[in-house]
Structure formats: structure tokens, C-alpha cells
Amino acid sequence: MCAQAAMCELSVLPDTLCALRGLCMLDVSRNGLTKLPNGFSRSPLRELKVSHNRLAFLPISLGTCSELRVVDATHNAITTFPDELCRLTKLEKLLLHHNKIAVLQKSASSLKMREHSLKEIDLSHNELQ
């Protein structure tokens, strides 16, 4: 099941959205979201598109979405690298450009060790030094 609600002027997502069994793709790009529900625990989600919102962070529960392959959180206000994404062994594409990330934690280096699955990572246009 795919849920697409891009450009719908959403400011909040209901927690029940995360509980949808069989949700494999969620696209809520280009809304006014400031946070995502933290109920993605063990979701079959494979693709998450949350670009062009006002997110300051990604929920910790994303780290339990073992099938997650694509995360597009570009053009937000994310300030810290989401460590929980380092646990995702099937992650192929991680797009975090145009955010406010200033520091990468040591856990981010584990992404490089998994080059066999991770094909693209983009952290450009952040505040990294």
C-alpha cells in the first residue's frame, strides 16, 4: 500500500497512519509538517519521502523499519544526523541535503561500512564543517 499526500497543506500526520499494515511507501512532501509520528515501529515501510517540510528531526522509530530503502528528507530544518538510520541494513538512498546538520556523529561512519547496500547519500548544503 502506498500513501501519497504531497502538497496537501498538512501540518500534522495522524499517529494511526504509522499503524497501517502493508504501508510500503509514504510521500508527504511539500507540506507544512514540523514533526512525524513516532509510531513507525517495525513498519514494512520501504520508502519515506518527507522533503520540503519544516522537520527538525526524524522519529527514532524509523530505525526499526528494517525494510526501509529510501529516505528523502531534503529541504527541511533537521539539525542532527539521524543516528537511528545507521541501523537500517537495507538502506540504499539517504537524501538529507538542504538541512541544518552541523555535526556528524561517529555512528554515521557505519553507513560507509555498508557500501554494498547504500548506493547514494547526499548531505550537501548543510552546515557541516
Side-chain angles (χ1 to χ4, degrees):
M1 172 192 313
C2 298
Q4 187 157 354
M7 299 189 310
C8 291
E9 298 181 18
L10 298 173
S11 59
V12 176
L13 285 181
D15 291 337
T16 54
L17 181 68
C18 300
L20 290 175
R21 299 179 97 192
L23 180 66
C24 62
M25 194 276 282
L26 177 62
D27 184 352
V28 290
S29 301
R30 297 185 183 274
N31 282 289
L33 299 172
T34 56
K35 70 177 193 169
L36 296 174
N38 198 27
F40 288 101
S41 190
R42 306 207 191 295
S43 166
L45 195 65
R46 289 180 174 214
E47 194 169 334
L48 177 65
K49 296 180 178 182
V50 293
S51 67
H52 295 87
N53 279 289
R54 297 184 192 129
L55 300 172
F57 61 92
L58 294 175
I60 293 170
S61 61
L62 283 179
T64 65
C65 297
S66 60
E67 297 300 315
L68 198 57
R69 288 169 169 75
V70 176
V71 174
D72 180 354
T74 60
H75 295 272
N76 277 288
I78 297 171
T79 57
T80 58
F81 184 85
D83 287 339
E84 56 276 5
L85 298 181
C86 296
R87 290 183 239 140
L88 301 173
T89 58
K90 294 183 180 177
L91 190 64
E92 296 174 1
K93 184 186 270 190
L94 177 58
L95 305 176
L96 291 169
H97 58 82
H98 290 90
N99 276 287
K100 297 180 179 184
I101 299 171
V103 176
L104 289 180
Q105 304 299 327
K106 289 182 181 180
S107 58
S109 65
S110 69
L111 287 170
K112 282 189 166 184
M113 290 187 270
R114 293 188 300 100
E115 289 179 5
H116 61 279
S117 62
L118 191 63
K119 294 175 176 66
E120 183 179 354
I121 182 169
D122 190 345
L123 294 166
S124 63
H125 302 282
N126 274 285
E127 297 174 5
L128 294 168
Q129 296 182 13

